[in-house]
Amino acid sequence: MNVHRRSIPCGPASARRRSLLAAGAWASLGVLPAARANGVGPVLPAIAAPALPLRRHDGAVPTLAAQLRGASTAVHLMFTGCSTVCPIQGALFAALQAALQAERSTAVRLLSLSVDPLADNPAALSAWLRRFGAAPAWSAAAPDPGALEPMLSLFNGGAAAGDRHSAQVYLFDRNARLVWRTSELPPASEVMAALQRLP
């Protein structure tokens, strides 16, 4: 089934289907979905993104803080070689992008952030974006290898380093502060509602 080639609708039936797909994917990894979530809802106090070096899909080398500053940004963690949950996350971001475009929202950016900096070079990240029909407001980047653990610490709330990434979406405000964590594999409607709460 080519889940990554179709946008995911946001109705109750599709949410149940998405949950089943996610549960099956996590089970194939030997991990229970509930064990992956790192808190849901507002992050209090908000956490400022550090100035960790990134390499973006277009070859630019901003810091994480600079990449996030200036607009509300939805971030998910992934790696392009993943064949289980990450394609579902990519399809979820494609659905979110479509929802933002339907509302003519230009104030939100999307960022696919790799947890595999050795493999995910600009060419691989660009191919990932093309795979999901990313518009210009959707970027992809990978940290420098030495910045990976500090980056994961920002997102996982201090969970064990072996927990490489969850299927949550992380929302940053325009000041590059982490302010919200969604549920695992949230529907686009959940992310949209959370974005509307941001100042």
Side-chain angles (χ1 to χ4, degrees):
M1 182 171 71
N2 292 324
V3 174
H4 62 277
R5 298 201 182 272
R6 299 192 321 228
S7 59
I8 300 175
C10 299
S14 63
R16 284 191 297 274
R17 183 169 177 271
R18 215 171 21 256
S19 294
L20 290 172
L21 284 170
W26 290 128
S28 73
L29 297 173
V31 179
L32 294 175
R36 306 277 305 184
N38 299 303
V40 174
V43 176
L44 299 171
I47 304 170
L52 300 174
L54 300 179
R55 182 168 300 278
R56 221 166 46 194
H57 69 279
D58 58 3
V61 287
T63 65
L64 178 60
Q67 177 66 31
L68 296 170
R69 195 172 293 117
S72 298
T73 307
V75 178
H76 74 110
L77 303 179
M78 45 63 77
F79 61 102
T80 62
C82 172
S83 60
T84 54
V85 175
C86 298
I88 300 172
Q89 291 177 276
L92 190 154
F93 256 40
L96 178 58
Q97 175 179 258
L100 289 166
Q101 289 172 341
E103 292 200 359
R104 299 172 190 249
S105 174
T106 58
V108 176
R109 295 187 298 221
L110 307 178
L111 176 61
S112 295
L113 197 51
S114 174
V115 298
D116 188 2
L118 296 179
D120 284 342
N121 58 26
L125 294 169
S126 293
W128 166 269
L129 293 175
R130 285 193 303 272
R131 178 179 180 184
F132 298 103
W138 183 356
S139 299
D144 278 359
L148 178 60
E149 293 305 326
M151 185 192 82
L152 289 173
S153 179
L154 168 68
F155 291 100
N156 69 18
D163 186 11
R164 305 315 288 172
H165 73 88
S166 77
Q168 292 176 275
V169 175
Y170 304 90
L171 303 185
F172 288 78
D173 67 15
R174 67 189 67 181
N175 296 311
R177 298 180 306 169
L178 175 61
V179 294
W180 195 274
R181 293 184 180 102
T182 70
S183 61
E184 297 278 344
L185 289 175
S189 57
E190 179 186 333
V191 183
M192 290 289 286
L195 284 166
Q196 289 167 1
R197 296 187 183 99
L198 300 189

